């Protein structure tokens, strides 16, 4: 029998301004109420030039890049019908990552303020920003066991050979059980497609000219259970 869940009042933790929509766009449209809290949204310090990623996205200045991403995110969240929250930590391309403990405290504050039924966190399959968010969320999970925690597979990174198996193994060693689980509700593919399309600068950098591939691949979730690990 398949494990199923009701999205209910949903909080999605997103490393960057696009990850939540890419990994959970269908889930967000299936929820009764939804909020996406994005971690790495701080404005970088003034600099004479953009990072390589920002240049690949079509920007000559990193502050202009972040402003554009925030605008894209606002449009995407409006399409998905989700509230947007920003923790304003720096992206690793602009500065050092926050400690796991500092980030965990911020995430716990967001969870307590919003009081969700379900928390969706990235599995952190690749990229130091995603991995740091996963590690911080795992510090909070045992303290909020009354909630349903699901891990979502980071879009694009989940296709890298062996990354999912590696992370599932890490979770098992930490005595966190990961069980495949599906949302009982049906999300809206067209709304996800429009939301993903809103992140035009990011799609350009990954070479995705239409959002169809990100939508047609579907979404996969894992029920994360620390209480059952002994």
């Amino acid at each position: 029998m398949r494990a199923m869940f009701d999205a209910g009042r949903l909080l999605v933790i997103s490393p960057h301004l696009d990850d939540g929509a890419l990994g959970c766009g269908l889930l967000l449209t299936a929820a009764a109420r939804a909020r996406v809290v994005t971690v790495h949204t701080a404005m970088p310090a003034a600099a004479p030039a953009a990072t390589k990623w920002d240049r690949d996205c079509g920007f000559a200045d990193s502050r202009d890049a972040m402003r554009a991403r925030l605008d894209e995110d606002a449009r995407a969240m409006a399409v998905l019908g989700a509230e947007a929250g920003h923790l304003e930590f720096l992206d690793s391309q602009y500065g050092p990552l926050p400690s796991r403990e500092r980030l965990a405290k911020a995430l716990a504050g967001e969870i307590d303020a919003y009081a969700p039924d379900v928390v969706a966190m990235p599995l952190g399959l690749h990229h130091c920003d995603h991995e740091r968010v996963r590690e911080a969320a795992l510090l909070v999970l045992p303290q909020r066991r009354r909630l349903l925690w699901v891990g979502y597979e980071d879009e694009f990174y989940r296709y890298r050979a062996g990354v999912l198996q590696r992370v599932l193994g890490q979770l098992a060693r930490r005595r966190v059980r990961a069980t495949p689980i599906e949302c009982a509700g049906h999300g809206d593919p067209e709304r996800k497609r429009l939301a993903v399309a809103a992140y035009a600068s990011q799609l350009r950098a990954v070479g995705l000219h239409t959002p169809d591939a990100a939508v047609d691949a579907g979404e996969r979730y894992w029920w994360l259970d620390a209480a059952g690990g002994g």
Side-chain angles (χ1 to χ4, degrees):
M1 181 179 293
R2 295 178 299 173
M4 307 288 287
F5 73 101
D6 183 347
R9 186 177 173 92
L10 172 69
L11 178 69
V12 171
I13 301 171
S14 179
H16 301 112
L17 293 161
D18 66 354
D19 294 313
L22 284 167
C24 300
L26 293 175
L27 182 62
L28 286 161
T29 63
R33 183 173 176 182
R35 179 175 174 83
V36 178
V37 57
T38 305
V39 173
H40 299 291
T41 63
M43 189 64 64
T51 62
K52 181 182 184 304
W53 178 258
D54 289 342
R55 291 195 300 273
D56 289 345
C57 291
F59 300 102
D61 180 276
S62 290
R63 292 174 68 85
D64 287 344
M66 183 55 70
R67 281 188 283 266
R69 290 186 189 116
L70 288 166
D71 288 343
E72 290 173 345
D73 189 63
R75 292 195 295 273
M77 292 300 106
V79 169
L80 295 171
E83 301 174 18
H86 302 140
L87 291 187
E88 297 189 355
F89 291 105
L90 280 173
D91 187 310
S92 61
Q93 66 178 323
Y94 303 136
L97 288 172
S99 68
R100 292 187 310 157
E101 292 75 16
R102 184 181 171 208
L103 180 48
K105 182 178 180 180
L107 291 174
E110 285 283 334
I111 291 169
D112 292 344
Y114 185 64
D117 303 311
V118 180
V119 177
M121 57 171 277
L123 287 178
L125 301 180
H126 184 69
H127 196 299
C128 62
D129 292 352
H130 290 238
E131 293 166 349
R132 181 57 53 90
V133 171
R134 177 196 67 213
E135 291 304 301
L138 287 175
L139 292 179
V140 183
L141 189 158
Q143 304 167 7
R144 306 293 188 279
R145 287 178 174 170
R146 64 177 179 79
L147 305 175
L148 174 65
W149 287 78
V150 297
Y152 64 88
E153 296 182 7
D154 315 54
E155 187 56 37
F156 304 128
Y157 297 140
R158 62 175 167 156
Y159 302 111
R160 291 175 177 248
V163 296
L164 177 60
Q165 289 82 355
R166 173 177 56 81
V167 170
L168 293 177
Q170 291 173 351
L171 291 172
R173 288 190 291 276
R174 296 180 64 163
R175 311 185 88 176
V176 176
R177 294 189 305 192
T179 305
I181 193 169
E182 298 178 24
C183 181
H186 297 289
D188 186 335
E190 183 57 25
R191 285 170 65 194
K192 177 174 180 177
R193 183 174 286 105
L194 292 172
V196 171
Y199 298 102
S201 67
Q202 305 305 291
L203 299 182
R204 170 180 175 171
V206 298
L208 189 64
H209 301 294
T210 72
D212 293 352
V215 176
D216 295 342
E219 299 170 2
R220 293 197 298 183
Y221 302 98
W222 298 79
W223 171 28
L224 303 179
D225 177 18

